[in-house]
Amino acid sequence: MTHGDHHTGTAHDHTGRTADPHGGDHGGHAKGSGASWSTAAKATLHCLVGCAVGEILGMAVGTALLWGNVPTMILAIVLAFVFGYSLTLFAVRRAGLDLRSAIKVALAADTVSIAVMELVDNAIIAVTPGAMDAQLSDGLFWSALLGGFAIAFLVTTPVNKWMIGRGKGHAVVHAYH
């Protein structure tokens, strides 16, 4: 793939097929076709890494500063989105995309995935008795947080599979790999 490919709106995947970042062929995931579970799981894992870094940092900072539950959760969610988007943003910038286009790709690729993951993860934490009041040194804090990530991964993977199969979500990033 050359730098000029990004400016024409097309790129090539590893097999040489033309890929359109706005819904065309994405390495075998053409709009309307089904995506593999492996592809969906990899996309979800990518999202989970960014979300986990932000979420853990936010929960740790809020807990360490003795903030209340709501400000701590807000910080964790904001940081999950920041770190989630950042992973994609850095990857597509490295592939040669200008900043404005890279931001558009990151938003299109990750917004739904991060939102679903954060909704599920934070709901698990909120409904786990004592989890929001647990301290960083408590096993309950970490088990609720990590358990929430595991459940969020299981819920978000089918969402990503459905979206990628339709040329949406993480599929828009495949043109830049």
Side-chain angles (χ1 to χ4, degrees):
M1 161 174 31
T2 67
H3 181 71
D5 291 334
H6 297 294
H7 297 289
T8 64
T10 62
H12 295 281
D13 69 9
H14 300 293
T15 63
R17 291 178 291 210
T18 300
D20 174 7
H22 303 292
D25 185 7
H26 298 288
H29 307 295
K31 190 173 182 176
S33 71
S36 73
W37 283 105
S38 174
T39 298
K42 286 176 187 173
T44 306
L45 187 58
H46 174 269
C47 176
L48 178 65
V49 168
C51 287
V53 169
E55 185 91 14
I56 290 169
L57 183 61
M59 290 290 192
V61 167
T63 301
L65 295 176
L66 303 175
W67 287 2
N69 293 344
V70 173
T72 297
M73 224 174 225
I74 290 170
L75 177 62
I77 292 168
V78 167
L79 291 177
F81 273 91
V82 168
F83 280 89
Y85 287 139
S86 294
L87 291 179
T88 298
L89 187 65
F90 293 138
V92 296
R93 289 281 291 145
R94 212 173 26 246
L97 229 55
D98 63 275
L99 182 60
R100 182 181 171 137
S101 297
I103 290 170
K104 287 180 181 180
V105 168
L107 291 173
D110 294 330
T111 299
V112 172
S113 184
I114 295 171
V116 170
M117 191 158 293
E118 285 303 297
L119 178 68
V120 172
D121 178 52
N122 283 284
I124 298 299
I125 293 167
V127 301
T128 301
M132 287 301 297
D133 297 321
Q135 297 300 308
L136 294 175
S137 59
D138 295 337
L140 178 60
F141 175 90
W142 294 103
S143 63
L145 191 60
L146 298 176
F149 289 145
I151 294 168
F153 178 83
L154 295 174
V155 171
T156 308
T157 299
V159 172
N160 281 332
K161 183 180 185 311
W162 181 82
M163 290 180 60
I164 294 167
R166 282 149 189 79
K168 307 285 184 200
H170 203 76
V172 300
V173 175
H174 293 175
Y176 304 103
H177 285 214

